Amino acid sequence: MNRRAQFLEVLGIATEWVPRERNDAPAEAVPATATAPVAQAPAAATAAPLAPVAAVIADVAEPVSARVKPLARAPAAPSLVPAVPEPGSAQADREAAIATMDWPALDAAVAGCTACGLCQTRTQTVFGVGDRQAEWMLVGEAPGENEDLQGEPFVGQAGKLLDNMLGALGLARGRNVFIANVLKCRPPGNRNPEPEEVAQCEPFLRRQIALVRPRVIVVLGRFAAQTLLRTTTPIGKLRGTVHAYEGIPVVVTYHPAYLLRTLTDKARAWEDLCLAREVHDRAGAGA
Ligand code: URA
């Protein structure tokens, strides 16, 4: 089974969805999320791994470069978004120190972090896993129960789906991908992260991203997307556009745990990963 077919099977999409013909609708009426189930993909189109990426997103109205929205560093702050610390404050000093750490120092800082109350309930911190020179970075929300026990992100059911999604893209955990969460400690009972926890933890993620310097960041789920992009825009509206975090292209998609429950959005996740693949390839071509 080729990767495309494998991916669709993993996502539980029985009938393959392919884009409308360009002429079916005016370009501006076809958002990145809009595809129509018109036919099985022809055999030739499924032969090469990920060759259909361009075809799948061919009906996107604008080229990727035109859809890149520069990220304003500190736009309107939603409730989740930490305030910029006062210059000279302890928090500003802490963030400045984290921003200069190398991998071993960052590893140690996360492992020993007591900056918020989550340190009292965690089993262990979950730093992140993978290739530290990866071209791809995936960012989730926070460790759950399994991750807290094993010290690795996305090891539960959602992680299995994530691994399969990576496989369909020709990637694997630890090979050209680094996976991290916004929070490095589990919120008890998997409750939503608190703004103060995000404020304390996001500098670690920012430093991880700066050290990896991936070509593309795929953000998994509403929480991580809104945190990284400093917005309250719903995830459905953040998808299909290329955003940026610290100058690195960001593609937003649904959280794998959500996809396990929501059949109807699985095809959209495929589109998102196709978009991310195109962004990745373009970034490589321009490198
Ligand atoms: N959900 C996340 O967002 N991250 C994990 O590591 C596990 C589940």
Side-chain angles (χ1 to χ4, degrees):
M1 190 186 294
N2 66 40
R3 287 209 182 107
R4 179 183 176 78
Q6 191 186 10
F7 184 93
L8 293 170
E9 186 181 281
V10 162
L11 293 188
I13 301 166
T15 307
E16 187 160 3
W17 291 49
V18 299
R20 260 184 221 121
E21 291 297 324
R22 263 189 182 284
N23 294 341
D24 279 359
E28 60 278 12
V30 185
T33 54
T35 55
V38 292
Q40 290 285 341
T46 59
L50 285 175
V53 166
V56 168
I57 60 171
D59 64 343
V60 169
E62 309 148 280
V64 166
S65 52
R67 286 184 287 137
V68 172
K69 277 202 285 197
L71 172 72
R73 214 27 204 94
S79 58
L80 275 177
V81 174
V84 176
E86 280 293 313
S89 64
Q91 182 61 10
D93 291 349
R94 176 175 176 269
E95 291 191 15
I98 292 171
T100 62
M101 286 177 180
D102 60 10
W103 282 112
L106 192 61
D107 239 323
V110 169
C113 183
T114 55
C116 79
L118 295 183
C119 66
Q120 285 157 19
T121 49
R122 72 183 178 218
T123 305
Q124 59 191 305
T125 54
V126 180
F127 182 76
V129 69
D131 180 348
R132 292 179 172 187
Q133 271 123 37
E135 293 169 356
W136 292 74
M137 190 149 173
L138 270 53
V139 178
E141 176 175 329
E145 185 180 12
N146 294 311
E147 292 76 20
D148 174 70
L149 292 172
Q150 295 183 41
E152 183 168 330
F154 288 102
V155 290
Q157 276 302 111
K160 283 193 190 129
L161 176 58
L162 187 65
D163 285 345
N164 290 340
M165 291 161 73
L166 288 174
L169 280 169
L171 303 168
R173 188 177 286 248
R175 204 183 65 223
N176 208 11
V177 188
F178 191 87
I179 306 173
N181 285 310
V182 174
L183 291 195
K184 311 303 185 205
C185 296
R186 180 192 183 205
N190 297 346
R191 66 157 169 73
N192 287 337
E194 302 278 353
E196 180 56 17
E197 294 157 1
V198 175
Q200 297 301 328
C201 225
E202 199 204 344
F204 292 136
L205 176 65
R206 191 177 306 129
R207 185 59 185 156
Q208 287 176 312
I209 292 171
L211 287 168
V212 175
R213 290 300 302 170
R215 282 193 202 170
V216 61
I217 300 170
V218 179
V219 179
L220 305 165
R222 177 192 72 87
F223 171 84
Q226 292 183 342
T227 302
L228 256 66
L229 300 177
R230 302 278 196 269
T231 183
T232 51
T233 304
I235 187 165
K237 293 211 169 102
L238 294 173
R239 295 182 50 253
T241 301
V242 184
H243 307 268
Y245 180 83
E246 306 279 341
I248 298 171
V250 170
V251 172
V252 172
T253 193
Y254 294 110
H255 194 283
Y258 168 82
L259 289 175
L260 287 173
R261 304 187 300 267
T262 317
L263 189 76
T264 47
D265 281 329
K266 289 178 178 177
R268 295 197 173 107
W270 167 237
E271 293 171 13
D272 298 335
L273 295 188
C274 291
L275 175 60
R277 166 60 84 188
E278 185 180 304
V279 170
H280 166 275
D281 292 353
R282 280 177 189 238

